[in-house]
Amino acid sequence: MNVFASALGAAAIVLASASGALSARTDLVLGVVLEPPHLDPTAGAAAAIDEIVYANIFEGLTRIGPKGEVLPALAESWEVSDDGKTYTFHLRQNATFHDGTSFDAEDVKFSLERAMAEDSTNAQKVLFSAIESVEVVDAATVRVSLKHPQGSFLYNLGWGDAVIVAPESAEGNKEKPIGTGPFKFQNWARGSSVTIVKNPDYWGEPVALERAEFRFIPDAAASVTALLSGDVQALPNMQAGDALPQIEADSRFKVVIGATEGETILAMNNGKEPLNDLKVRQAISHALNRDEIILGASSGHGVPIGSHFSPANEAYVDLTGLYPHDVEKAKQLLAEAGYPDGFSATLKLPPPNYARQGGEIIASQLREIGIELEIIPMEWAQWLEQVFTNKDYDLTIISHTEPNDINIYAREDYYFNYQNPEFNAVIEELELTADPAKRNELYGQAQRIIAEDAVNGFLFQLPKIGVWDAKLEGLWENSPIQANDLTKVRWTE
Amino acid sequence: MSADMFFMPAPERHFILKALQNRSFLIGLVITAAIALMALISLFWTPYDITRLQVAARMQGLSLSHPFGTDHLGRDILSMIMIGARNSIAVALVAVGIGFGIGVPLGALAAARGGWIDDALMRLNDVVFAFPALISAVMITAVFGPGAVNAIIAIGIFNIPVFARVARAGALSLWPREFVLAARAAGKGRVLITLEHILPNIMSLLLVQATIQFALGVLAEAGLSYLGLGAQPPMPSWGRMLFDAQTRIAVAPHLALFPGLAIVITVLGLNLLGDGLRDVLDPRLRHER
Amino acid sequence: MTAFLAKRLAVGLITLLAASVIVFSVLEILPGDPARIMLGMNASPDALEALRIEMGLDRPILARYLDWLAGMATGDFGRSYTYSSPVLDLVWERLAVSLPLAVFALSLSTLIAIPVGVFSASRRGSAADTITMGAAQVGVAIPNFWFALLLVYVFSVGLRLLPAGGFPGWGESWAQHWQAFKALILPAVALALPQAAILARVTRSAMVEVLGEDYIRTARAKGLPRTQVLWRHALRNAMIPVLTIMGLQLAFLLAGTIIIENVFYLPGLGRLIFQAISQRDLIVVEGVVMLLVASVILINFAVDICYAIVDPRLRAGR
């Protein structure tokens, strides 16, 4: 009886609120895949943190826009000295932190120095490695001196790891993030969702949404049903590509397929027999059928790549024709390398679908040329330890989602075990070059070198499959960085 | 399994006749035999080679060439189900073997010795029983990595106390019986008595339990595979087939239908077989009927 | 009675201690560095080292075990590495989902199973008995996650009657309570069906046995009404195996719902521990497993007490 009465009461309340909602909605529930470990983007590498707080709660001096461009944020404007080594930033003067403390040059100095410090737990410390010193000129001006010119410096400052925090609240940001952004943190129901609300004291253009909830739905199937049942209104990164036809057929939803910065590769251990042989790597590259891989591992969405570079970038060079799918050629190369009957190797796979399903397809394709792969699926924890840290692997499949990260091929001791002084020289020059045309040319050279060396099997650019309510606008189509920027999101009607 | 029954020291020899009159037993036997046969055939022949993917032919519906359709990587689902049966049976069977092989001697020992050995073994049993089984299985596979062998270990460990309890209870009820007392009076040792008199007489009890644990093992394997902790590709498993089907159920429901049915039918067959066996073998219940 | 309970209690404590050794040592050999997982692929070695020291991972094993044990004894289960909040707080948050779900599923299965079992037993051999027990056989064989999938596609995607998953929190108003309750309906049904099938079978066989006893025949012969004999006399005496199974089922429901929680993405205990294992948040895994072991022991203890209540013979006997 009691249950029944409360059910009636609930129905009445639902009706009342529905009839009252004649003006456009101002609330939004987004489904995201992973729950972040905490909410401080300056103390963790997890993309799940940036996917909630970036541009919404925290802001940096600069920010990255929807097309990957560098935009002003807490720095209104800046000047660069002629030698490219001194940056002078002019700061917003009416910005405040969510706890009421004001934002000024001291906060900038504090944040950058904290990220650079010896005992810093910033996961992208390398972003700040070029900084020599940070100097407060006055409350609204900061001067940053670099050790050497760095072409990507303004871009680096736009990363989530470089956001500005206040000394008063920095320690508590993991649990209760306090930034300068247009949304304030409200609540974190662990295992379930994070809720943010509109910041009425925001310095810039106020946001349209009053309240947004990021709900954690790790399971692909569950996210689809949650969308269909209306529990969530947007899935910025849908995992279940095969369910798309069903959603596309439903006029309530909009499907937007964009690009990410994720180069999905079959990484090879260049330091280990027989993969240290160029001919073997070329043979593998010829054996890969990218169309089949994209169809099976990514439901047919995703642009094939021939090197470690995003096709959306203006410096992109199309190298997909370098190693066309050619089983005979592959077998011949393998024989020339001394493996006429192929060989056995391991393929270690992290959890995402593209890796697990792509792995089965690649194993089947390499079997055609006599290479028997043993598939070893692993959790992230094991993958990070065995493959990434200890380089104990032959082959693996992984999407490198950091933007513009071709320079990882120049890193010493990186898990590819790839060494090429010629390539390193190109990257060094790139570091010191600010001229855009010259930079593009160098990027082109870099792409060509690793493609010719067949360092890895270059598969495809990971798509961003966004699905949301057709009445919703302003969500990002592509993902140049990992973020769910809600500043321009609104309900139409 | 049926061959073993000829060696059963049942008090009455014509129980096979009885068994064949038992409806549960018959249906269960037919289903179980059919699944086992399917698994056996898959060792030599399947309609398609599932290690050669035809990605372009993915998620096809039912047709003459693919009676159960194809999955998200273009594999023939009938072939997957056949090989999956092999995986399910192998995992469950070995897990039962582990439980039986370790649990029965422990239970028999506890019953034969009594005293502190009995106490210690039964406390150990309590500890294992108190652990949440599924979570422990997840931990075990986290330590050793996912795979069929580790699924077997995880399921097998939890079979040990089950068999130990059944064996101990059965043995304890026999020790005070006249024929055992007679054997003791004749100077036979406890081990010999256990081997000669106790074990043969609790074998029917254990066989029924083994059938039940077998069915539970198939279910547990499906659950672990569903979580990605069971057999790994290219070896197909029914649980993972269901997991893969889940996101595609609205587009291609047959992906979820057949593996699910395979699990239900197998478990049903084993349970019916177990029930039938119990009716036929358990003298107490037989008296009541 | 008191001596019996005291002995059970002592045994329970020993079990707990043994369990703590097992849990701690199993987790010690888990591959994967928690600090690396928190900081990710590009973390620098000194940042990793700093975090390891902060987490206390540099200290000897025995010292950490003893600290952990002493902490638990005083109700301090430590802080989660990944969530940086106390383990007990996390557990309480998750219990707000898991406990009601378990109780809901158990009540559902009991409400279905006991009448069905009693009914079947009272009409043993009839067509109705055969059909219900056949249905129960099938119910036992259905994997609950498969059943859950079917429910979601019928009631959420197809009919749009109930949420497909997620848990909005219990909230403050009746409307919010109702929403939260609605989110638990499908998971509870999915969990309850196979359990009800098992329980119905156990109830039936226990009832069949009791109904064959002399005192039931006597009661019937004395002219007591059939239903009264069935429900008052027979069921009470058939309760012991039924209670045993119910205790096992409650223990299973508290921890064994990982798969169902994944299907419905419910923030329950099962998913907390599943995530904690994959993120190597060892302190959470240790704490939750210990609490679950403790609750199994408590449930068994409660079942023992229930035995004594339904069957006075046991009270005197032991």
Side-chain angles (χ1 to χ4, degrees):
Chain A
M1 191 62 210
N2 258 334
V3 174
F4 188 59
S6 69
L8 281 180
I13 291 166
V14 169
L15 280 178
S17 64
S19 57
L22 282 175
S23 54
R25 283 177 75 166
T26 55
D27 66 311
L28 174 65
V29 183
L30 293 99
V32 293
V33 182
L34 292 177
E35 175 164 22
H38 56 79
L39 293 172
D40 184 354
T42 67
I49 304 173
D50 283 333
E51 281 170 4
I52 292 172
V53 302
Y54 187 80
N56 299 328
I57 293 179
F58 288 110
E59 298 171 303
L61 288 177
T62 62
R63 56 163 297 182
I64 313 297
K67 295 189 186 67
E69 71 278 28
V70 176
L71 300 172
L74 284 173
E76 214 162 18
S77 62
W78 51 81
E79 289 111 37
V80 189
S81 67
D82 290 339
D83 64 356
K85 285 168 71 172
T86 309
Y87 285 72
T88 310
F89 294 96
H90 303 286
L91 309 177
R92 306 266 174 202
Q93 296 195 38
N94 51 347
T96 56
F97 284 94
H98 299 151
D99 62 355
T101 57
S102 63
F103 161 77
D104 60 29
E106 289 295 339
D107 296 311
V108 176
K109 183 176 162 71
F110 168 78
S111 301
L112 295 181
E113 285 180 349
R114 174 170 173 264
M116 292 154 54
E118 195 74 2
D119 60 347
S120 151
T121 50
N122 194 301
Q124 305 286 350
K125 255 170 122 170
V126 65
L127 291 178
F128 315 97
S129 60
I131 299 180
E132 170 87 30
S133 64
V134 184
E135 191 188 333
V136 174
V137 180
D138 58 53
T141 317
V142 170
R143 189 178 299 135
V144 180
S145 310
L146 302 186
K147 295 170 189 154
H148 51 76
Q150 189 180 37
S152 55
F153 183 62
L154 288 172
Y155 188 89
N156 288 355
L157 288 182
W159 281 54
D161 307 79
V163 297
I164 304 302
V165 297
E168 295 87 352
S169 51
E171 284 310 307
N173 278 346
K174 282 186 177 177
E175 298 213 36
K176 191 179 186 313
I178 292 186
T180 56
F183 288 95
K184 292 195 291 191
F185 169 81
Q186 190 188 42
N187 178 42
W188 182 0
R190 307 213 186 237
S192 185
S193 66
V194 164
T195 307
I196 60 176
V197 291
K198 183 175 181 171
N199 170 15
D201 307 318
Y202 185 55
W203 57 265
E205 187 191 335
V207 286
L209 294 176
E210 289 289 341
R211 184 174 178 281
E213 183 185 331
F214 295 87
R215 195 172 289 173
F216 314 126
I217 315 177
D219 184 73
S223 69
V224 174
T225 47
L227 183 82
L228 291 177
S229 64
D231 294 351
V232 306
Q233 297 95 46
L235 297 172
N237 258 312
M238 200 181 87
Q239 303 290 296
D242 281 343
L244 271 188
Q246 180 194 1
I247 296 166
E248 274 166 342
D250 195 326
S251 62
R252 291 179 296 158
F253 305 108
K254 190 153 60 181
V255 174
V256 180
I257 296 175
T260 66
E261 287 294 321
E263 290 82 23
T264 312
I265 57 171
L266 171 69
M268 309 193 217
N269 190 340
N270 283 238
K272 202 173 162 192
E273 296 243 4
L275 297 163
N276 54 358
D277 187 329
L278 174 64
K279 287 208 162 109
V280 171
R281 298 199 303 268
Q282 287 175 329
I284 291 176
S285 304
H286 275 300
L288 297 174
N289 178 347
R290 290 195 189 88
D291 293 337
E292 218 176 41
I293 295 168
I294 293 171
L295 186 60
S298 186
S299 309
H301 302 289
V303 183
I305 52 171
S307 185
H308 196 103
F309 217 72
S310 163
N313 195 303
E314 54 174 5
Y316 174 74
V317 181
D318 186 355
L319 294 162
T320 49
L322 197 57
Y323 301 107
H325 176 56
D326 185 342
V327 174
E328 286 314 308
K329 187 80 188 291
K331 280 183 181 163
Q332 188 197 326
L333 280 164
L334 214 50
E336 282 171 26
Y339 300 95
D341 304 321
F343 56 88
S344 312
T346 60
L347 175 61
K348 295 190 170 172
L349 300 175
N353 275 337
Y354 66 76
R356 295 286 166 92
Q357 289 170 15
E360 292 196 56
I361 298 167
I362 286 173
S364 158
Q365 290 175 354
L366 294 193
R367 196 173 291 117
E368 299 281 319
I369 63 164
I371 300 177
E372 285 292 330
L373 294 185
E374 186 200 345
I375 292 177
I376 306 177
M378 356 187 88
E379 295 168 34
W380 278 120
Q382 287 165 299
W383 188 89
L384 280 170
E385 176 160 306
Q386 290 187 24
V387 178
F388 190 79
T389 311
N390 297 337
K391 305 174 204 66
D392 174 19
Y393 78 108
D394 299 327
L395 297 161
T396 186
I397 299 174
I398 180 76
S399 203
H400 277 257
T401 51
E402 280 85 10
N404 269 339
D405 59 352
I406 196 169
N407 58 2
I408 55 180
Y409 288 75
R411 279 197 200 163
E412 227 167 282
D413 218 30
Y414 204 60
Y415 76 107
F416 307 144
N417 274 328
Y418 170 69
Q419 316 279 312
N420 184 345
E422 193 198 344
F423 180 83
N424 295 0
V426 173
I427 295 298
E428 263 167 50
E429 198 182 340
L430 196 59
E431 269 287 288
L432 303 174
T433 309
D435 172 47
K438 180 71 182 151
R439 283 178 70 83
N440 286 355
E441 192 196 319
L442 289 166
Y443 270 132
Q445 281 179 27
Q447 290 171 59
R448 200 161 281 119
I449 295 171
I450 54 168
E452 276 163 2
D453 282 346
V455 183
N456 294 316
F458 301 103
L459 306 176
F460 62 94
Q461 199 69 18
L462 203 65
K464 175 186 187 302
I465 302 178
V467 181
W468 48 79
D469 195 299
K471 298 193 284 290
L472 205 59
E473 63 175 34
L475 281 159
W476 284 13
E477 182 178 328
N478 298 314
S479 90
I481 51 164
Q482 290 142 343
N484 288 308
D485 177 356
L486 301 181
T487 52
K488 299 275 186 282
V489 175
R490 62 180 70 246
W491 289 93
T492 57
E493 87 180 33
Chain B
M1 188 161 290
S2 56
D4 285 349
M5 285 187 296
F6 289 99
F7 305 106
M8 295 280 309
E12 299 158 74
R13 266 282 159 185
H14 49 271
F15 78 101
I16 291 173
L17 224 94
K18 278 200 158 146
L20 292 179
Q21 287 164 348
N22 183 296
R23 202 173 32 183
S24 291
F25 181 84
L26 259 186
I27 301 174
L29 189 67
V30 169
I31 295 177
T32 311
I35 302 279
L37 189 69
M38 188 167 86
L40 212 62
I41 293 175
S42 80
L43 280 172
F44 310 102
W45 176 83
T46 50
Y48 289 84
D49 176 1
I50 58 156
T51 59
R52 281 179 185 269
L53 308 182
Q54 305 285 332
V55 183
R58 64 201 300 260
M59 298 203 287
Q60 286 180 357
L62 316 192
S63 66
L64 277 179
S65 48
H66 296 285
F68 291 179
T70 62
D71 78 348
H72 62 289
L73 296 176
R75 289 172 294 199
D76 178 53
I77 291 182
L78 177 59
S79 308
M80 301 263 294
I81 299 241
M82 288 175 68
I83 303 179
R86 204 162 84 206
N87 170 61
S88 280
I89 291 178
V91 170
L93 202 61
V94 181
V96 168
I98 292 176
F100 196 101
I102 303 178
V104 172
L106 285 182
L109 175 74
R113 286 278 162 188
W116 69 269
I117 294 186
D118 186 21
D119 262 352
L121 284 174
M122 287 305 109
R123 287 298 80 75
L124 200 64
N125 253 351
D126 284 347
V127 175
V128 181
F129 259 127
F131 269 88
L134 193 56
I135 285 169
S136 307
V138 173
M139 287 207 293
I140 289 170
T141 45
V143 175
F144 299 109
V149 175
N150 299 325
I152 290 172
I153 296 173
I155 300 169
I157 287 180
F158 287 92
N159 276 337
I160 297 174
V162 175
F163 282 102
R165 276 195 184 185
V166 173
R168 176 177 174 273
L172 277 182
S173 71
L174 290 179
W175 276 101
R177 297 273 286 272
E178 281 121 32
F179 67 98
V180 177
L181 293 177
R184 291 187 70 175
K188 284 190 183 172
R190 285 167 186 268
V191 176
L192 201 62
I193 292 177
T194 300
L195 287 178
E196 280 184 359
H197 299 284
I198 306 285
L199 283 184
N201 279 294
I202 60 172
M203 208 38 96
S204 57
L205 210 61
L206 293 171
L207 197 63
V208 171
Q209 193 64 44
T211 319
I212 295 168
Q213 294 309 116
F214 196 151
L216 288 175
V218 170
L219 272 180
E221 196 279 335
L224 284 178
S225 309
Y226 176 86
L227 289 175
L229 304 173
Q232 296 300 326
M235 184 54 153
S237 65
W238 295 341
R240 208 184 53 249
M241 287 170 78
L242 278 182
F243 175 78
D244 286 333
Q246 201 179 332
T247 53
R248 305 172 173 98
I249 198 166
V251 185
H254 65 279
L255 296 185
L257 186 64
F258 294 107
L261 283 179
I263 298 172
V264 174
I265 291 172
T266 308
V267 176
L268 185 63
L270 285 166
N271 279 339
L272 287 172
L273 189 67
D275 273 15
L277 268 181
R278 191 204 322 264
D279 289 351
V280 177
L281 294 176
D282 192 326
R284 193 173 53 101
L285 279 178
R286 206 167 47 213
H287 285 309
E288 275 184 19
R289 294 248 155 164
Chain C
M1 176 85 175
T2 329
F4 166 66
L5 289 182
K7 193 183 161 212
R8 299 293 304 169
L9 203 64
V11 167
L13 282 176
I14 294 169
T15 310
L16 261 184
L17 202 64
S20 79
V21 175
I22 296 176
V23 172
F24 195 83
S25 37
V26 165
L27 292 182
E28 271 308 308
I29 53 174
L30 262 192
D33 173 2
R36 165 67 76 184
I37 292 148
M38 285 179 73
L39 290 180
M41 274 165 68
N42 295 343
S44 65
D46 36 325
L48 280 175
E49 201 45 48
L51 189 65
R52 270 194 212 112
I53 291 169
E54 196 185 306
M55 289 158 79
L57 291 174
D58 56 330
R59 301 176 50 230
I61 293 178
L62 193 65
R64 276 188 288 140
Y65 173 71
L66 291 177
D67 275 4
W68 173 61
L69 215 55
M72 277 195 303
T74 56
D76 172 14
F77 282 71
R79 289 175 79 83
S80 156
Y81 302 152
T82 50
Y83 286 124
S84 51
S85 64
V87 173
L88 266 190
D89 291 2
L90 290 174
V91 170
W92 281 122
E93 280 173 19
R94 300 308 177 102
L95 265 185
V97 180
S98 288
L99 197 60
L101 179 60
V103 172
F104 189 9
L106 189 70
S107 343
L108 213 58
S109 99
T110 312
L111 284 178
I112 299 168
I114 291 190
V116 167
V118 172
F119 170 82
S120 264
S122 70
R123 287 179 176 62
R124 185 146 75 102
S126 71
D129 176 32
T130 313
I131 291 169
T132 22
M133 283 306 112
Q137 275 285 16
V138 177
V140 173
I142 293 179
N144 58 16
F145 54 96
W146 192 55
F147 186 53
L149 284 184
L150 301 180
L151 288 177
V152 164
Y153 278 86
V154 173
F155 292 99
S156 308
V157 180
L159 301 174
R160 293 203 189 134
L161 280 177
L162 292 166
F167 187 73
W170 286 105
E172 271 104 45
S173 67
W174 278 104
Q176 285 170 320
H177 296 340
W178 171 241
Q179 289 303 324
F181 178 74
K182 259 171 77 178
L184 295 184
I185 293 179
L186 288 186
V189 172
L191 284 169
L193 173 94
Q195 306 240 338
I198 296 171
L199 201 58
R201 286 164 52 84
V202 171
T203 309
R204 178 184 175 276
S205 63
M207 285 293 287
V208 165
E209 201 160 312
V210 171
L211 288 175
E213 302 267 350
D214 293 339
Y215 63 91
I216 297 291
R217 295 209 190 101
T218 319
R220 288 282 287 147
K222 275 200 308 196
L224 285 176
R226 184 185 163 85
T227 41
Q228 197 186 335
V229 173
L230 209 57
W231 290 98
R232 194 170 297 166
H233 298 269
L235 183 59
R236 187 187 169 100
N237 285 296
M239 271 323 268
I240 290 220
V242 174
L243 275 175
T244 310
I245 297 294
M246 282 174 66
L248 285 176
Q249 292 192 338
L250 183 62
F252 165 81
L253 283 171
L254 276 180
T257 57
I258 295 185
I259 301 181
I260 289 297
E261 284 174 16
N262 269 331
V263 175
F264 293 97
Y265 61 102
L266 295 174
L269 267 188
R271 230 181 71 202
L272 173 70
I273 199 165
F274 193 62
Q275 281 173 346
I277 290 174
S278 66
Q279 292 169 342
R280 297 296 179 269
D281 195 345
L282 305 184
I283 196 94
V284 173
V285 182
E286 288 163 354
V288 178
V289 171
M290 286 311 292
L291 285 171
L292 287 174
V293 171
S295 64
V296 170
I297 292 170
L298 265 180
I299 289 169
N300 288 343
F301 196 61
V303 170
D304 281 342
I305 295 174
C306 287
Y307 285 170
I309 292 170
V310 284
D311 191 346
R313 279 175 306 177
L314 280 182
R315 227 177 317 184
R318 287 209 203 175

